[in-house]
Amino acid sequence: MIKKQKLQGTSTDDWKQYHAFTLWFPPRCCSARFNLAFLMFLGFTVVYGLRVNLSVAMVAMVNSTDPDPDGNHSVTNACPPPSGRENTSNNFQQPAGVPHYNWDSETQGWLLGAFFFGYLCTQIPGGYLAGHYGGKFFLGLGVLGTAALTLLTPLAAKWGSYWLFALRALEGFGEGVTYPAMMAIWARWAPPLERSRLIAMSASGGSFGAFVALPLTGYICQMLGWPTVFYICGGAGCLWAVFWFIFVSDDPRNHRRISKEERDYIIKTVGPQGTGHGWSLPLLHMALSVQLWAIIVTQMCSNWAYYTLLTSLPTYMDVILHFDLQSNGFLSSLPYLGSWLMAWLSGVMADALIERRVFSVTVVRKIFTFVGLFLPSVFLVAVVYAGCDHILIVTFLTLSMTTGGFSAAGVFINQIDIAPRYAGFLLGITNTFGTIPGVVAPIVTGYFTEDRTLAGWAKVFWVAAGINAGGAVIYTFLGSSKLQPWALTEEERAEAERKRNRSISH
């Protein structure tokens, strides 16, 4: 049933971007924009499956998570095994012919971080091209290319760690365009009062993908051997790409199955910002924007903790807590289940607060960012003090990632607030900086944990907690959701000038 809803603009800076209008508000259920969000959600589920499968498979691929082929030192357990597993071994039999490799912890750290070396390279170009041409092709091709390359992982591992490093970097190169392309699509598709839920719903596929991939990878490794993991994940990505290219359109104006009411609603609410940005960009204004730098620094801080857990949690579960591979995958995935659910909830809550004008857009973004960065820091510190208590550690890690889901409606969608038509390019910039922790964190973790002690892992969690909390403070003071003057279209500038002239004449 279609209902009539009136959205009122205000004189405050945050609300100038939400112009007053009265219109027929089409239902969300089964709408083209929510179908698009669901298909994006599935796409990012696949994307993160392709990204994290190596984290768990690594436990099966190596003879030990910290092999010492030269036998120069002995290794003692930092923590006792879980209750009931005192006399069991972490080793397990895989199908005949499945290879193992002697990669030390430093090599594993480089292999786990290799993806992000390539991921860094295509964020900005991908965001720029997606903002000009539209994001459908770039998001679809990014997932398809990464999936196809994933099928070659067993062959690259057989050739050696340098080949596997190069392949993973190339996968990251292909996947780097996906998030900027997503934001470029939503710049044309997302009504202002539905931005939080639509973007959070889409991007939360990443957390859901980690939740599904981590235990499934452990199970497949145990039952079918680790190479099968990469064949299944790669095949799933190729299948998703078929549906994406058939059903998705860059712009609601040329979507074949959208209703007239919904198309008019989106076009009217998005306004002139729902167009491509052309070839020229206000680069100097962007470089000098305090609001943009607040997003960049905050995302870097948040991503340090996120990528630390994403790449290293399975190793921690194996080396310190001594969970078997299937338990490892399941317990490593629990934090991402909480993050996924919280991301969905935060998107709905943020839109409700903005629509009812409980808080300004800026205040809403700051609240969700602060909660989504500071609370995870508290729980990471709690992990350190939990010692070897398996139940408490799993609980605190789960709560850390769950509360981190709040930031999905905060800083991570702030680009579309400050400059909607440049959102894809800006996300490319912020995600480029935000990916640096993905490169550095696994390497730092490998350095801290070389001796496989609780003290080494305590350093990992302390550093992640401190950086996360720092990001919360920085965004609270410097963050903003004001539509930036350099982001206005010529049409909007002309309209603003006419209003200014009328106010002077009166």
Side-chain angles (χ1 to χ4, degrees):
M1 180 178 179
I2 297 175
K3 62 179 181 179
K4 195 173 184 181
Q5 177 168 317
K6 187 173 183 178
L7 308 174
Q8 295 181 337
T10 76
S11 59
T12 63
D13 288 334
D14 277 329
W15 284 88
K16 286 180 180 177
Q17 58 189 293
Y18 298 103
H19 305 291
F21 56 87
T22 303
L23 48 87
W24 290 102
F25 184 79
R28 296 188 178 106
C29 181
C30 300
S31 63
R33 63 194 186 281
F34 273 81
N35 288 340
L36 173 61
F38 180 68
L39 195 53
M40 276 191 189
F41 167 80
L42 294 179
F44 285 108
T45 298
V46 172
V47 160
Y48 262 72
L50 298 171
R51 187 181 300 192
V52 307
N53 50 23
L54 185 64
S55 300
V56 176
M58 184 72 74
V59 179
M61 294 170 74
V62 298
N63 291 328
S64 166
T65 50
D66 191 12
D68 182 27
D70 299 325
N72 292 329
H73 65 273
S74 60
V75 177
T76 58
N77 288 337
C79 288
S83 177
R85 295 195 63 245
E86 290 82 358
N87 298 319
T88 62
S89 170
N90 279 345
N91 296 326
F92 59 90
Q93 295 297 320
Q94 293 198 84
V98 175
H100 295 84
Y101 305 101
N102 291 321
W103 297 331
D104 59 23
S105 62
E106 184 178 354
T107 300
Q108 293 177 54
W110 280 97
L111 290 174
L112 291 173
F115 177 94
F116 300 102
F117 282 90
Y119 195 63
L120 278 167
C121 299
T122 50
Q123 298 276 339
I124 294 176
Y128 176 69
L129 293 173
H132 181 76
Y133 291 110
K136 170 185 173 178
F137 174 78
F138 295 96
L139 200 160
L141 187 62
V143 178
L144 179 61
T146 307
L149 290 170
T150 298
L151 297 172
L152 302 176
T153 301
L155 180 62
K158 181 180 179 180
W159 287 352
S161 59
Y162 290 104
W163 283 97
L164 182 57
F165 181 94
L167 180 72
R168 290 289 293 182
L170 195 58
E171 289 180 31
F173 186 89
E175 196 174 303
V177 303
T178 52
Y179 277 98
M182 175 201 74
M183 194 64 80
I185 292 173
W186 284 126
R188 306 183 187 201
W189 271 91
L193 296 185
E194 294 180 357
R195 283 174 180 168
S196 300
R197 57 164 58 92
L198 286 171
I199 298 175
M201 177 182 176
S202 306
S204 69
S207 295
F208 186 75
F211 165 67
V212 172
L214 287 168
L216 190 60
T217 298
Y219 177 80
I220 295 172
C221 286
Q222 188 88 41
M223 297 294 106
L224 302 175
W226 63 262
T228 309
V229 169
F230 301 100
Y231 299 140
I232 292 176
C233 290
C238 294
L239 179 62
W240 172 88
V242 174
F243 289 95
W244 175 261
F245 285 114
I246 291 175
F247 293 109
V248 169
S249 173
D250 277 316
D251 196 292
R253 293 173 178 83
N254 51 36
H255 193 282
R256 289 175 294 180
R257 288 167 296 278
I258 192 172
S259 68
K260 182 180 183 303
E261 292 84 358
E262 183 180 6
R263 183 177 62 249
D264 292 344
Y265 165 65
I266 295 172
I267 293 172
K268 184 172 180 63
T269 55
V270 173
Q273 288 287 335
T275 57
H277 55 55
W279 291 112
S280 61
L281 298 171
L283 295 177
L284 180 60
H285 292 291
M286 292 178 180
L288 298 177
S289 172
V290 174
Q291 292 80 7
L292 179 58
W293 279 106
I295 299 172
I296 290 172
V297 175
T298 305
Q299 285 196 193
M300 290 181 68
C301 293
S302 176
N303 282 357
W304 183 281
Y306 184 82
Y307 284 132
T308 295
L309 295 182
L310 187 71
T311 57
S312 303
L313 190 55
T315 300
Y316 175 75
M317 293 286 187
D318 176 63
V319 172
I320 301 299
L321 303 183
H322 308 295
F323 288 110
D324 61 71
L325 192 61
Q326 290 190 48
S327 299
N328 185 337
F330 173 72
L331 294 172
S332 297
S333 73
L334 280 180
Y336 299 98
L337 173 62
S339 178
W340 167 58
L341 294 173
M342 190 57 68
W344 276 53
L345 179 60
S346 70
V348 174
M349 291 171 59
D351 277 345
L353 291 172
I354 294 171
E355 184 175 351
R356 289 167 173 76
R357 296 174 58 184
V358 177
F359 299 113
S360 69
V361 184
T362 292
V363 172
V364 169
R365 299 288 183 247
K366 288 186 176 183
I367 290 173
F368 281 86
T369 300
F370 186 86
V371 173
L373 270 70
F374 188 78
L375 284 185
S377 300
V378 173
F379 290 119
L380 285 177
V381 172
V383 170
V384 175
Y385 288 102
C388 289
D389 191 316
H390 295 75
I391 295 176
L392 279 180
I393 289 173
V394 172
T395 299
F396 289 143
L397 286 172
T398 301
L399 288 173
S400 179
M401 288 293 293
T402 298
T403 53
F406 270 101
S407 61
V411 65
F412 285 97
I413 64 173
N414 199 191
Q415 299 90 344
I416 204 169
D417 294 319
I418 66 172
R421 68 189 183 123
Y422 299 117
F425 180 71
L426 294 185
L427 185 63
I429 295 174
T430 59
N431 232 18
T432 296
F433 283 94
T435 302
I436 294 174
V439 176
V440 180
I443 299 171
V444 172
T445 298
Y447 173 77
F448 281 151
T449 62
E450 197 168 11
D451 55 0
R452 302 175 64 180
T453 63
L454 275 177
W457 281 98
K459 294 177 183 177
V460 172
F461 294 127
W462 270 112
V463 169
I467 293 175
N468 229 36
V473 174
I474 289 170
Y475 189 81
T476 299
F477 283 100
L478 300 179
S480 174
S481 292
K482 290 169 56 178
L483 180 63
Q484 299 301 293
W486 46 264
L488 294 174
T489 64
E490 292 301 323
E491 179 182 342
E492 289 171 321
R493 288 193 179 95
E495 178 63 24
E497 184 64 27
R498 283 194 295 270
K499 288 182 178 179
R500 196 159 39 243
N501 291 336
R502 282 199 298 269
S503 64
I504 293 174
S505 62
H506 290 303

